[in-house]
Amino acid sequence: MARITTGTRQSPTGRARTRASAGAGLLLLGALLTGCGAEPGEIPLSEIRPETPTATPEATPAATPGVVGAAVGAPAAAAHNGLIVSRAYTDAARTSTAIVTLSPDGTGQHQVTQPPARALDDRPDWSPDGATIAFDRTDPQTGTARLWTVLTAGGPEHQVNQLCDSGTADCANEDERAPAFSPDGKQVAFSRSWGALDPSGSHQIQYSDLYLMTPEGTDVQRLTFLTNDKPYSGAVSNPSWSPDGKQLTFEYRTSATGQPANSRAIYVVSADGTGLRQLTPWELRAGDRADWAPDGTQILFTTYPAGPDNAPGGGIYTVHPDGSAVGALTPAPSDAFYGAAAYAPDGKSIVFAQAPAGTGADLYSMRPDGTGVARLTNSADKWLSRPAWGTAEAPAAPADQVQATAQPSDQPSGQPSSAPQAPQAPRPDAQQPAQAQGQAPTEKPQAESESDSDE
């Protein structure tokens, strides 16, 4: 695994230097980044290579279709199901998105971030202690994304140190997205794309791979090399950690020149960069962020059909970590649009995004076997999506609000409360095709597809 050590940037014009180093039985070729650029004779980030070849997209282990079944493993430890974090549109024109939290029953939506006009806050993830939310923010002027954090209770957002500023080949179109905290909170996985745009006009960025760093943005390490020898072949994104912190899943989406072209699949790699393998077959078109069950025996993922973005026809599936026992949790064939899904901390529920006909997406829950579907939110205009379920408690209400709540009520004892209730669960057979979601305009081509921004 290649290591990139970063320090505090001395000035906006600082230069990045890459150096070769060896350690612990692995050839670690790193880049000391204090700004951007590579000195003559040094190795640019796009040419850092692992000691041993990793699997290529063509090396596809067979995934045996089957039914979802119980996998051998220890039962999940008892965990508290706290707040759910999601992204949501903040305006009717759908030009800006913010990070929001809500209670497990769908009530108490609270906007955590305050993005600038037309900025897109997306792909939130919880720190293990529930105190912090990491996310990416796409700049409306440049179209590039950077990593940010915010306290769960809200407050000023903080940008994580980025790898590059601008001005050199290794920093051209540099984009950092989809942060994911490790289970011990000591590392953050994220996707990084950089390089020239495809001269054929496809808007595909030259390189895209998975990286690790500390939550402060230091000790940056390149984890995968899928596009190293195949520029413009695809985009890597949406990492997710196994409960023991030893493996990560991520999405690999191929370009028009990839093999196969214009497809997507979930991959697995060890946290030390070894053992890269494809988890789902190309035919399933699995994408976005997969999620590991708390006991590590199942991996949850969503599929997306070929054709227009946000089209109905996909579904939510599970697979064992060895690639066996692929099974659907949602009806197939489907006439609804499904977005990313995530397990509850106790492993007994799943939260996911779904869009019926003529509306945007809302959040739903179901049991791990796909039964008991219940609608959690009724705010389709916000297109709530990309949920992650954590252990954080809802922030305490202000003292004046608590006092008002404590006042005697004129409502007779035993009568139904007027407090908002979770919406009724829809009938599974009432699911309908989704309406295409709006997308904030940008002049900057993205490493990820429009559907990755909208799901």
Side-chain angles (χ1 to χ4, degrees):
M1 177 171 57
R3 179 177 299 272
I4 305 169
T5 56
T6 63
T8 303
R9 203 174 282 110
Q10 300 299 318
S11 70
T13 58
R15 304 288 304 272
R17 295 178 172 81
T18 58
R19 305 180 185 280
S21 60
L26 293 175
L27 182 60
L28 303 179
L29 299 181
L32 179 60
L33 297 180
T34 56
C36 296
E39 296 292 350
E42 296 179 330
I43 304 172
L45 292 178
S46 58
E47 292 301 321
I48 299 175
R49 301 172 186 272
E51 181 181 19
T52 57
T54 56
T56 64
E58 292 80 0
T60 307
T64 305
V67 297
V68 180
V72 178
H80 167 70
N81 293 341
L83 293 174
I84 296 169
V85 67
S86 176
R87 76 106 199 237
Y89 279 102
T90 59
D91 60 324
R94 294 179 178 172
T95 63
S96 184
T97 56
I99 303 304
V100 300
T101 58
L102 57 149
S103 297
D105 64 0
T107 62
Q109 287 187 38
H110 172 66
Q111 184 174 328
V112 180
T113 66
Q114 304 296 327
R118 304 181 72 84
L120 301 174
D121 290 356
D122 205 348
R123 302 171 187 83
D125 188 59
W126 293 103
S127 63
D129 61 7
T132 304
I133 299 169
F135 62 99
D136 61 53
R137 172 173 290 172
T138 301
D139 185 277
Q141 301 300 321
T142 65
T144 57
R146 301 295 183 227
L147 305 183
W148 293 69
T149 60
V150 64
L151 295 178
T152 302
E157 299 107 20
H158 299 281
Q159 184 177 349
V160 180
N161 289 336
Q162 63 193 56
L163 273 67
C164 290
D165 287 325
S166 60
T168 68
D170 272 0
C171 298
N173 301 306
E174 210 267 345
D175 192 273
E176 299 159 18
R177 296 177 185 262
F181 281 101
S182 63
D184 62 7
K186 295 180 180 180
Q187 289 183 299
V188 172
F190 65 101
S191 65
R192 176 178 182 257
S193 300
W194 72 99
L197 297 180
D198 189 344
S200 69
S202 67
H203 294 169
Q204 180 70 43
I205 295 181
Q206 193 170 13
Y207 300 107
S208 178
D209 270 298
L210 204 63
Y211 284 72
L212 301 178
M213 66 179 177
T214 67
E216 296 75 31
T218 61
D219 193 21
V220 181
Q221 308 167 39
R222 185 173 175 182
L223 192 63
T224 66
F225 299 82
L226 273 170
T227 64
N228 200 65
D229 297 318
K230 297 182 179 180
Y232 309 111
S233 60
V236 168
S237 191
N238 296 308
S240 179
W241 293 81
S242 63
D244 60 8
K246 295 181 179 180
Q247 298 181 87
L248 298 96
T249 55
F250 63 92
E251 175 190 17
Y252 182 59
R253 188 164 187 175
T254 59
S255 67
T257 60
Q259 294 296 326
N262 299 316
S263 193
R264 56 205 303 178
I266 301 299
Y267 276 67
V268 178
V269 66
S270 296
D272 63 1
T274 62
L276 178 68
R277 58 189 172 87
Q278 187 172 337
L279 182 66
T280 63
W282 295 112
E283 293 75 15
L284 270 180
R285 295 185 56 83
D288 212 297
R289 181 181 58 201
D291 193 49
W292 297 69
D295 64 2
T297 61
Q298 298 276 11
I299 297 173
L300 186 69
F301 65 92
T302 306
T303 64
Y304 300 93
D309 291 332
N310 303 318
I316 298 173
Y317 290 71
T318 58
V319 62
H320 291 174
D322 64 1
S324 65
V326 177
L329 300 184
T330 55
S334 169
D335 56 3
F337 165 80
Y338 290 96
Y343 282 103
D346 67 1
K348 297 179 180 180
S349 298
I350 290 170
V351 61
F352 61 98
Q354 179 183 320
T359 66
D362 267 301
L363 298 186
Y364 294 74
S365 68
M366 62 181 170
R367 299 187 187 98
D369 63 0
T371 63
V373 176
R375 186 171 183 172
L376 299 181
T377 64
N378 191 17
S379 51
D381 58 316
K382 295 183 178 180
W383 261 90
L384 290 167
S385 56
R386 287 203 173 90
W389 205 328
T391 58
E393 298 283 358
D400 55 351
Q401 181 177 339
V402 174
Q403 183 177 3
T405 304
Q407 295 300 317
S409 171
D410 294 332
Q411 181 178 325
S413 175
Q415 295 298 315
S417 170
S418 60
Q421 301 297 314
Q424 284 292 104
R427 291 171 36 223
D429 59 357
Q431 296 165 349
Q432 299 295 331
Q435 179 185 36
Q437 176 185 0
Q439 171 71 18
T442 174
E443 297 299 323
K444 166 70 169 57
Q446 298 297 317
E448 299 179 53
S449 70
E450 290 182 4
S451 66
D452 279 336
S453 297
D454 293 341
E455 287 161 4

